[in-house]
Amino acid sequence: MLVLSKKEYYQSQFLIARTDSAKTWKLINTLLPGRTKATSTPPNLTHPLSEECKQNPTDIANIFLVFFVSVGKNMSSKIISPQSNKTHIAEMNCQSSFYLQETSAEEIMHIIDTLTEKNDTRQNDIPVKILKLCSEILSPFLAKLFNNCISQGIYPQNLKCSQVTPIHKSGPENVCPNYRPTSLLSPLYKIFENLFNDRLYHYVECKGVLSKHQYGFRAKVSTEFAIYDIVECISENLDQKIPTCAVFLDRSKAFDTVDHSVLLWKLEHYYAIRGLLLLFENYLHRREQYTVVNKCRSQIQQINCGLPQGSILSLLLFSLYINDLPNVSNFKTTLISDDTCLILANNNIDILEKMVDQEINKVDSWMRHNKLSLNYSKTVYMIFNSDKKQSSPFRVETGSNLFNRVNSTKYLGMHLDNKLN
């Protein structure tokens, strides 16, 4: 009886999520063994600088806090920008201007109704359950607050503090880099974020701002489209016996190294978000976070770069941040968040090698201009060539960094080899 009920429940959930690939995969992961998130924290942690071993949960929380807050800033400081007085090297232009429409109590009530009730509410936050029970009373006040934020260009400071929990990825459990931060945000923050995100996304879609090469976080577009686009391009070249090079970029801590001044510059000059620039600047600056380990809380520290973790608005802002990348080179570029594939083809493989060398340096220059860190050791490339008579050692490098050539790789969850098998 229990097994039958469980089966019927998941059948109904898969039916509801049939048009949403993200929700479908979330359901699949709940059913697969070993796919649940590991949230356990280590009994001890080694300090990254002093190498002193700490066992007290509060000490561990503070070590994680310092590491998470400083990792983006430290990586960004090591990125040397090319010798140029231009921060950006792509040409983009948006003719329209973006303005935030005021909200209403009815819209606030609708957003509150869509919030998910969770047990992991932060201390001093209003639980979602209470917000839903009192939404009719609270919505007019929240609408007035949001509209005041628009008119005054001020984002509430209390909503810019996030609670971070370390999630173990792999490797020894007592080493900070083996953890990634996951943020728990205030329900009020999520309401405001939804209002901002819906308006900005509507503007971006209506004005055709996002590049056609962007496949992430867009309605009616998914990773399947990106995979199909990549495979089709390579397959056509193979059928015509045109040697093709595909470079799969690996960016380190992409969201953590986003430069606020560069992002604001792009919002103003690329996307015509001028009148509300002060509001976006206020949203990004003076962000704070603290870390919780075994219910013990660290101190609070400010974050000077990067985008808020676990935020849907961050995903859209990052898409806008990297939106000009396809314009800086002759690569056929496929973008999904921080996953990037670059494809170039030529009938002569020796000429192709020279072309790739030239274009990859343009991409590397753009990366450094935009304070994004390329992981040279994990960036790989493949050569697709059906003509065995054309053979070449083929090297892809930028500066003194030589990329690894592979015969197969995993990209967007798909295993891809150089024969498209």
Side-chain angles (χ1 to χ4, degrees), residues 52-278:
E52 184 179 357
C53 186
K54 297 290 186 179
Q55 295 182 335
N56 183 283
T58 303
D59 292 336
I60 293 175
N62 279 306
I63 292 173
F64 272 124
L65 172 71
V66 173
F67 175 75
F68 290 144
V69 167
S70 61
V71 64
K73 182 180 178 181
N74 291 341
M75 290 186 69
S76 180
S77 65
K78 295 175 182 177
I79 300 171
I80 303 173
S81 297
Q83 296 297 318
S84 171
N85 59 356
K86 292 183 179 180
T87 308
H88 314 286
I89 52 179
E91 293 184 2
M92 295 185 70
N93 185 32
C94 183
Q95 300 296 330
S96 304
S97 293
F98 172 66
Y99 296 97
L100 268 178
Q101 181 184 357
E102 289 192 344
T103 188
S104 63
E106 289 74 21
E107 185 181 14
I108 297 287
M109 289 177 64
H110 173 72
I111 292 174
I112 291 175
D113 190 53
T114 62
L115 294 178
T116 305
E117 294 183 30
K118 294 183 178 180
N119 296 324
D120 51 349
T121 305
R122 305 184 316 176
Q123 188 178 10
N124 300 326
D125 276 345
I126 302 175
V128 173
K129 187 175 183 179
I130 302 299
L131 283 173
K132 289 188 175 183
L133 289 172
C134 306
S135 64
E136 194 171 344
I137 300 170
L138 293 174
S139 293
F141 296 99
L142 292 175
K144 185 176 181 180
L145 178 60
F146 178 76
N147 293 334
N148 284 339
C149 289
I150 296 174
S151 60
Q152 298 176 24
I154 297 175
Y155 195 86
Q157 184 62 34
N158 289 343
L159 299 184
K160 295 195 288 184
C161 185
S162 58
Q163 174 183 306
V164 171
T165 302
I167 302 294
H168 182 248
K169 298 183 294 184
S170 60
E173 294 186 357
N174 64 332
V175 182
C176 283
N178 293 337
Y179 288 80
R180 62 176 178 84
T182 179
S183 295
L184 183 60
L185 303 169
S186 160
L188 291 180
Y189 172 93
K190 292 180 179 179
I191 295 171
F192 275 58
E193 179 192 56
N194 272 283
L195 291 167
F196 280 115
N197 187 75
D198 289 348
R199 284 156 172 74
L200 182 57
Y201 182 79
H202 178 74
Y203 168 77
V204 162
E205 284 292 297
C206 287
K207 303 302 179 183
V209 169
L210 284 181
S211 166
K212 64 179 181 180
H213 305 284
Q214 288 256 25
Y215 291 87
F217 317 116
R218 299 178 64 182
K220 301 178 182 179
V221 179
S222 65
T223 56
E224 288 85 353
F225 286 85
I227 292 169
Y228 175 80
D229 197 30
I230 292 169
V231 172
E232 183 183 42
C233 175
I234 297 171
S235 181
E236 286 179 0
N237 290 338
L238 283 175
D239 290 342
Q240 298 176 42
K241 296 186 177 181
I242 302 175
T244 304
C245 176
V247 183
F248 301 90
L249 301 184
D250 187 285
R251 286 195 283 260
S252 301
K253 307 287 183 184
F255 279 72
D256 294 323
T257 60
V258 168
D259 188 289
H260 292 167
S261 61
V262 175
L263 175 58
L264 291 169
W265 190 96
K266 290 190 176 187
L267 290 177
E268 181 180 10
H269 292 86
Y270 285 177
Y271 312 116
I273 301 175
R274 300 183 180 94
L276 293 164
L277 204 63
L278 180 62

Side-chain angles (χ1 to χ4, degrees), residues 337-351:
S337 186
D338 57 344
D339 289 306
T340 305
C341 176
L342 310 171
I343 297 176
L344 201 59
N346 190 276
N347 287 310
N348 187 296
I349 197 164
D350 294 320
I351 295 176

